[in-house]
């Protein structure tokens, strides 16, 4: 079974530039999560989708971050404009809907903002 | 949001059992207890989960207190490959998942 795919794996940009990350979840998984993980910390939930609807985006900095999940499958996360403090690993995860199901994580995208 | 507390770090000798504790005193009746681990430079991976009863799988065992306010992840024989950050999290209604800082496990050869 194919896992969660993410691209790119690495990205280096200058501050005030924009960047986009792509995630393809495991087939059949209705729930999709985007996390930000700063070095030395646990993953921080940015946004959670169920199909193409947003369940939770309370920690998404909406002035610069946006995310969409068109057709309830693939998802993109965008940052515009980027700040130095956005340097982190961005993780995508997916799961079947329900508290008894585990999440599967992708390999992440390491973003460096200079 | 439902929260968990874990020790920042623990050490274990190779091939000995490891007991990783987690407190979740504000757990609600429908919250599931999930454990994940994260090896260096990798995304988190699922370890085990449970609701009320103790659970076993090929990776580990999960012991849940009767009042569900704490749980313990048990690695029966630690190997060097088990050195990782272990996260205890509660999966709440709407499938919400909140990660804490986790426990960094070191395994000594």
């Amino acid at each position: 079974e194919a896992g969660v795919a993410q691209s790119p794996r690495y990205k280096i940009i200058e501050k005030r530039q924009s960047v986009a990350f792509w995630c393809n979840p495991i087939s059949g998984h209705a729930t999709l999560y985007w996390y930000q993980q700063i070095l030395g910390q646990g993953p921080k939930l940015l946004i959670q989708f169920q199909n193409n609807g947003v369940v939770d985006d309370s920690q998404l900095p909406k002035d610069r971050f946006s995310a969409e999940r068109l057709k309830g499958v693939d998802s993109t996360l965008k940052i515009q404009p980027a700040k130095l403090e956005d340097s982190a690993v961005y993780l995508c995860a997916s799961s079947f809907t329900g508290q008894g199901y585990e999440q599967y994580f992708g390999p992440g995208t390491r973003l460096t903002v200079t | 949001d439902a929260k968990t507390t874990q020790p920042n770090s623990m050490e274990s000798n190779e091939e000995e059992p490891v007991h990783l504790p987690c407190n979740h005193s504000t757990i609600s009746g429908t919250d599931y207890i999930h454990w994940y681990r994260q090896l260096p430079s990798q995304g988190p991976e699922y370890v085990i989960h449970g609701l009320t009863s103790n659970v076993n799988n090929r990776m580990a065992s999960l012991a849940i207190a009767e009042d569900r306010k704490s749980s313990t992840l048990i690695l029966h024989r630690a190997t060097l490959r088990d050195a990782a950050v272990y996260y205890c999290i509660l999966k709440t209604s709407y499938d919400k998942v909140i990660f804490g800082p986790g426990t960094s496990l070191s395994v000594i050869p």
Side-chain angles (χ1 to χ4, degrees), chain A residues 37 48 98-101 103, chain B residues 30 36 38 49 91 94-95:
Chain A
Q37 187 170 27
Q48 177 185 340
Q99 293 160 265
Y101 292 104
Q103 292 182 314
Chain B
T30 58
Y36 288 79
Q38 188 171 24
H49 76 276
K91 199 174 190 191
Y94 303 109
D95 294 355

Side-chain angles (χ1 to χ4, degrees), chain A residues 58-105:
Chain A
S58 57
Q59 297 198 87
L60 186 73
K62 298 181 185 65
D63 58 335
R64 299 185 300 108
F65 286 63
S66 64
E68 60 182 9
R69 191 182 183 198
L70 299 176
K71 301 180 182 179
V73 181
D74 293 5
S75 178
T76 56
L77 176 70
K78 297 179 181 178
I79 307 175
Q80 182 179 10
K83 293 185 176 181
L84 296 177
E85 59 260 36
D86 298 332
S87 295
V89 175
Y90 291 84
L91 295 161
C92 178
S94 70
S95 76
F96 289 114
T97 299
Q99 293 160 265
Y101 292 104
E102 64 269 31
Q103 292 182 314
Y104 292 83
F105 283 80

Side-chain angles (χ1 to χ4, degrees), chain B residues 4-89:
Chain B
T4 62
T5 56
Q6 301 176 250
N8 289 333
S9 62
M10 292 184 65
E11 271 188 359
S12 173
N13 293 320
E14 194 176 12
E15 298 194 2
E16 289 189 355
V18 183
H19 291 234
L20 297 164
C22 180
N23 288 317
H24 28 79
S25 58
T26 60
I27 191 170
S28 72
T30 58
D31 293 345
Y32 275 73
I33 302 157
H34 286 244
W35 284 82
Y36 288 79
R37 72 179 185 181
Q38 188 171 24
L39 280 66
S41 301
Q42 295 187 23
E45 68 171 340
Y46 167 78
V47 177
I48 200 167
H49 76 276
L51 182 61
T52 56
S53 304
N54 295 343
V55 184
N56 300 295
N57 67 19
R58 64 175 179 81
M59 290 181 71
S61 295
L62 176 61
I64 301 173
E66 197 169 332
D67 64 4
R68 299 208 327 125
K69 294 185 177 181
S70 65
S71 61
T72 302
L73 178 70
I74 303 165
L75 306 179
H76 296 287
R77 288 183 67 204
T79 70
L80 297 179
R81 290 174 293 179
D82 291 323
V85 177
Y86 286 79
Y87 297 100
C88 166
I89 61 173

